[in-house]
Amino acid sequence: MNPDRTLMLIGHKTEPIRKAKALGLDVILLQHKSKLQPEQSALADVTFVVDYRDWSVIRPLVETAHRTWGIGAALSLTEPGLDVAARINDLLGLSGTGYATSHRLRDKWQMRRHLAASGADTIAAGLVRGRDSLSAFGDAHGYPFIVKPTDMTAGWGVLPVAGPAAVPRIWDQIQRLRRDGVTYGTTLFTIQDFLMEEYVSGPEFSVEGFSFDGRHAIVAVTEKLVDPGRFVELGHTLPARIDPDLERAIVDAVQRFLDVMGLKDGPSHTEVRVGTQGPVVIESHNRIGGDHIGDLLRAAYGVDMVEYALGWPFRLVEELPDRPRPLAGACVRFLHGSSGRVIGLGGLDEVRARPEVLAAELSVKVGDVLRPLHNNWDRHGLVAVRDHDSDAAVSLCHELIGSLRIETAGQPTPARRELAPLGRMERQ
């Protein structure tokens, strides 16, 4: 193994390992036992099956691996592994993102505190300290406002507080979430603190970027379809169908934000809402966006963000220009809205056979009891497509997702709800 070409990957799916090997890299994989697949061990040069969230275990393992083989870069593109990779960068003096930057992106309270201390644009926020703190925040900053865990993902535990009468119920939900923890969807997150934030009413977008030695190349602005009550993401379209002046304002806001946060290299996925005061960063991540956004970027722009994330630490890829021109439109829509016990599934093979389809999935099986829509893990399936522009991709996505069938007891076809791109939470 060549230390100048040795990459330590933390917690990845199989595709990035395969791409790292195609780039000529030697790969040391740290993988959680619940996520390990046989192909990963076959592809990686060295595999450690370990709870990589436990730094007391990881640190001596990394030190031994570095003495034995050398490590040129450490990287994770999965949320629970980001801070671990950053700690490794700090420990070994590597050039990637360090823990201070990674953690203030992961921890939403640290992000708000850092923005406020830097004099950057932000919104009012505070930690939940008890039921009275909810009422006090509402009195000080108005209703509605949002409560959410400080370090979760996929919309888990996001609670809108519509008015003073909702406070007792929200407090009960916070206590239940703290007690029960994450009960499905993933095993690698724990509920810790809860954050209160001002609610920003308006359309939502995400900004897909890659930073090169401190220069933030914005690859795409993604239009988001979001449930207005629970903020579950139900679709993404790129390029976003958006006024050019607003798009420039969003891009400028995100580039300023990434400067303030200290991100220098690698991918970023930043979620923005456009309120009365203009674009507001809601949260950001030093990784590629989920929900097949990476597939949409490849289809619409010809940019493989996974390859860039793997190759840039070794300077195996050229820098991207800011705002590359789109080649096509791409869209993903998620299936949701049915209820009951699943008794039959259909349509998946026919949808996958279409040449425009990038991905098609049903995430439920016969016998499952469908849950109400509370977070991204409650969605039932998806279709992602490429077409000549965004409008065509959206139209095709809506057509094809209607071909996926989930039959439930007492309800032969799913009652799929269509939502407008903009949702508004009404005051009570």
Side-chain angles (χ1 to χ4, degrees):
M1 293 173 65
N2 181 353
D4 294 330
R5 286 292 187 99
T6 298
L7 173 66
M8 178 166 275
L9 277 175
I10 297 94
H12 277 276
K13 295 182 179 179
T14 303
E15 180 194 24
I17 308 171
R18 189 182 300 116
K19 290 187 175 184
K21 296 304 297 180
L23 286 168
L25 298 176
D26 297 320
V27 176
I28 301 172
L29 175 66
L30 306 184
Q31 184 61 288
H32 193 276
K33 65 179 181 180
S34 67
K35 305 295 183 181
L36 184 66
Q37 299 174 355
E39 187 180 357
Q40 296 175 354
S41 296
L43 286 167
D45 297 275
V46 179
T47 301
F48 293 101
V49 181
V50 63
D51 185 351
Y52 55 76
R53 300 167 300 173
D54 188 342
W55 183 243
S56 67
V57 173
I58 292 301
R59 176 169 182 159
L61 188 154
V62 169
E63 290 171 331
T64 300
H66 188 51
R67 286 194 301 269
T68 304
W69 298 290
I71 297 170
L75 177 69
S76 183
L77 293 175
T78 183
E79 190 79 14
L82 295 174
D83 278 356
V84 182
R87 286 183 182 274
I88 295 170
N89 288 330
D90 288 343
L91 176 67
L92 301 182
L94 305 177
S95 60
T97 300
Y99 180 77
T101 297
S102 174
H103 193 64
R104 62 178 167 244
L105 286 168
R106 279 214 67 217
D107 188 313
K108 300 170 181 64
W109 172 231
Q110 294 298 325
M111 183 192 83
R112 290 289 172 218
R113 291 180 63 193
H114 183 76
L115 291 172
S118 302
D121 294 336
T122 189
I123 53 178
L127 287 179
V128 175
R129 298 299 189 188
R131 192 172 81 168
D132 290 347
S133 68
L134 295 167
S135 299
F137 190 88
D139 291 343
H141 303 291
Y143 294 91
F145 66 90
I146 302 299
V147 171
K148 58 187 179 183
T150 57
D151 59 351
M152 276 297 297
T153 189
W156 182 278
V158 178
L159 306 171
V161 187
V167 167
R169 175 178 56 82
I170 297 298
W171 175 241
D172 288 344
Q173 288 182 272
I174 291 170
Q175 290 180 300
R176 177 179 57 79
L177 288 169
R178 282 174 168 163
R179 181 184 67 247
D180 297 344
V182 183
T183 54
Y184 63 92
T186 182
T187 59
L188 301 183
F189 289 92
T190 56
I191 296 286
Q192 298 184 33
D193 290 326
F194 279 81
L195 178 69
M196 302 173 287
E197 284 185 335
E198 286 185 274
Y199 173 63
V200 180
S201 176
E204 186 167 332
F205 303 89
S206 68
V207 178
E208 324 308 331
F210 201 101
S211 299
F212 300 91
D213 289 330
R215 181 183 71 84
H216 311 300
I218 302 304
V219 180
V221 176
T222 303
E223 176 186 325
K224 301 173 79 67
L225 180 65
V226 180
D227 182 284
R230 296 307 301 246
F231 311 107
V232 179
E233 296 178 351
L234 299 176
H236 309 283
T237 304
L238 56 84
R241 298 165 294 176
I242 186 175
D243 175 81
D245 289 338
L246 177 56
E247 185 174 51
R248 281 191 290 270
I250 291 171
V251 168
D252 288 347
V254 169
Q255 289 176 323
R256 291 194 304 271
F257 168 85
L258 295 174
D259 278 339
V260 171
M261 297 304 287
L263 186 67
K264 300 295 184 184
D265 290 283
S268 59
H269 169 71
T270 305
E271 297 173 4
V272 175
R273 278 203 167 214
V274 180
T276 55
Q277 68 272 54
V280 176
V281 172
I282 301 301
E283 58 186 63
S284 185
H285 313 268
N286 57 314
R287 58 166 172 78
I288 301 164
D291 281 356
H292 288 272
I293 285 177
D295 294 332
L296 304 187
L297 284 166
R298 283 195 298 274
Y301 288 89
V303 174
D304 188 330
M305 295 286 271
V306 173
E307 183 175 307
Y308 267 85
L310 297 167
W312 176 246
F314 301 93
R315 301 306 187 260
L316 298 176
V317 293
E318 298 293 330
E319 291 191 28
L320 288 168
D322 194 24
R323 312 313 317 282
R325 293 180 62 84
L327 308 173
C331 174
V332 62
R333 289 292 185 264
F334 293 88
L335 190 63
H336 63 101
S338 56
S339 60
R341 185 177 297 277
V342 178
I343 59 173
L345 303 169
L348 190 59
D349 290 341
E350 294 86 346
V351 171
R352 283 177 172 170
R354 292 284 295 263
E356 312 96 327
V357 171
L358 305 171
E361 301 170 6
L362 285 170
S363 53
V364 297
K365 61 184 185 300
V366 173
D368 285 350
V369 176
L370 302 181
R371 293 180 294 267
L373 188 67
H374 291 303
N375 58 68
N376 291 358
W377 291 312
D378 294 323
R379 301 171 306 194
H380 310 326
L382 66 89
V383 174
V385 304
R386 180 186 191 269
D387 213 319
H388 62 270
D389 62 19
S390 295
D391 284 332
V394 169
S395 178
L396 179 60
C397 228
H398 279 277
E399 173 194 337
L400 294 182
I401 202 164
S403 301
L404 297 182
R405 300 187 303 278
I406 302 177
E407 299 178 10
T408 57
Q411 184 184 353
T413 58
R416 180 169 55 89
R417 294 181 292 129
E418 292 298 341
L419 299 175
L422 315 184
R424 182 157 185 231
M425 182 168 58
E426 300 295 338
R427 295 176 183 268
Q428 290 185 355

